[in-house]
Amino acid sequence: MSKPNLHERTGALDWNELRTVLAVSRAGSLAGAARALDLRHSTVFRRIEHAERRLGARLFERSRSGWTPNAQGEAVARAASEMESAALAAERAISGADARLEGTIRIATSELLAGHLLLPLLRRFLAEHSGIEIECDLAHRSVDLTRREADLALRATMQPPETLAGRRIAVMQYAVFASRAVLGRRRGAPVLAELPWVGFDERISHFQIARWFAEALPQVRPRLRLDSMSGLMRAAAAGIGAALLPTFAAAQEPALVRVTTPIQGPAMNLWLLHHPDVRGNARVRALGAYLAQAVPLELQRLAEGGATCKAFAACPLAGRRGRAGRPRHSDSEPLPDSSR
């Protein structure tokens, strides 16, 4: 029996099989690929077997530690990745040329930013654009705009990816907040080092505000550590301890009282980002222009609200300005606006 020729070997090898090879190569396991593709484990296994039969070669080395692509598997995965990139580029080009103010916009952000800043603003935008629908991705992962996982991203970061376009639209400030139960019946200003604290887990210890806390209050051992700002705020509101929190969010929590003025030095830039290929999309451009104008005003309004102590606590390192770091994107770098 003669060996199948190239056409016979690849003619029935469809994109579903190629992207399955790519997913297994990326994940290193069938289970990981199944989650990424939203498929059953058995379906992923069948697709890999079918691809190997069609190509006449084994693509992965199976072991207890996972599935590792061999030389043939790496070659197929590279080809699939190139096909994926080409398909995504075509999709972005089509989407970017859409001049209609209707359709769906997907925006990625954090739970904290969505719940305490973004949603009221989106309500007003949707009221003015009846043909537009919005999906919010609040996953605890970095959403990839190049893969069209979102059209826009509202991100708190000091250094956004170089591959994205956009601009810094605001700076978030932090202050110390605590519940009235934690503060007790104090006549004078609270002493920060004497309060119980909720602190930063090692997974977010690289945050600028976490580094400031470690330097400013080295003698404090937090009673509880968490790996998200939302978790820190809920713990502080529950009366477990004081916490360093974004002023715009904590000021909206009725159970919390601001104990200090905004901390000098540590701050976080708020960026509105998009992939360059969607620059011409009218609905994305309209939402981007609206948020670029509305977010700074709303952020300032919220930060100025909330309950405060009668006498603010003395703040360690007061007067010392931390290096916020120069953003790699210019503040003046234009986000496409709806008037263009």
Side-chain angles (χ1 to χ4, degrees), residues 21-252:
V21 172
L22 179 59
V24 174
S25 179
R26 285 172 172 166
S29 69
L30 296 185
R35 286 192 296 272
L37 297 173
D38 195 21
L39 295 173
R40 292 185 177 182
H41 183 282
S42 57
T43 301
V44 174
F45 181 73
R46 285 197 301 272
R47 286 185 179 179
I48 294 298
E49 282 201 321
H50 189 264
E52 289 180 333
R53 283 198 303 270
R54 284 293 176 182
L55 292 169
R58 197 175 182 89
L59 302 178
F60 293 92
E61 300 299 331
R62 285 80 158 168
S63 68
R64 291 183 178 179
S65 60
W67 286 47
T68 305
N70 56 24
Q72 292 88 343
E74 289 177 349
V76 174
R78 277 196 303 273
S81 179
E82 291 171 1
M83 293 172 65
E84 178 189 58
S85 297
L88 290 170
E91 186 179 358
R92 289 195 303 268
I94 294 170
S95 175
D98 194 341
R100 300 170 300 164
L101 278 175
E102 58 184 40
T104 300
I105 306 171
R106 189 168 180 82
I107 183 167
T109 191
S110 69
E111 183 180 353
L112 188 76
L113 288 171
H116 293 85
L117 176 65
L118 190 61
L119 295 183
L121 299 181
L122 293 182
R123 177 183 60 80
R124 296 201 288 269
F125 178 81
L126 290 170
E128 296 172 3
H129 299 84
S130 59
I132 291 178
E133 298 177 357
I134 295 176
E135 297 177 354
C136 283
D137 189 328
L138 309 182
H140 295 292
R141 61 183 176 88
S142 181
V143 173
D144 191 344
L145 300 187
T146 64
R147 294 169 58 83
R148 289 300 314 280
E149 293 179 348
D151 300 301
L152 284 171
L154 183 65
R155 289 180 176 166
T157 179
M158 298 308 294
Q159 292 185 325
E162 291 283 4
T163 56
L164 302 180
R167 63 181 172 185
R168 185 176 67 176
I169 59 174
V171 177
M172 297 193 311
Q173 291 186 310
Y174 296 84
V176 177
F177 288 81
S179 69
R180 291 177 175 83
V182 165
L183 294 175
R185 297 179 178 274
R186 299 173 184 269
R187 293 184 179 180
V191 178
L192 297 185
E194 295 177 359
L195 296 175
W197 278 84
V198 176
F200 303 89
D201 183 84
E202 62 179 11
R203 283 168 287 190
I204 59 171
S205 61
H206 62 283
F207 283 10
Q208 190 182 28
I209 190 65
R211 296 198 302 267
W212 182 92
F213 176 76
E215 183 181 356
L217 295 165
Q219 72 275 37
V220 169
R221 286 186 61 82
R223 302 172 68 182
L224 176 68
R225 295 180 177 86
L226 296 103
D227 66 353
S228 77
M229 297 306 297
S230 293
L232 283 166
M233 189 166 71
R234 286 193 287 268
I240 298 175
L244 275 163
L245 298 168
T247 54
F248 80 91
Q252 298 179 62

Side-chain angles (χ1 to χ4, degrees), residues 260-288:
T260 67
T261 58
I263 302 298
Q264 294 185 28
M268 181 63 74
N269 293 331
L270 197 58
W271 288 78
L272 188 61
L273 302 166
H274 64 276
H275 193 279
D277 287 352
V278 302
R279 191 183 303 273
N281 185 296
R283 59 182 179 272
V284 174
R285 194 167 65 237
L287 179 58

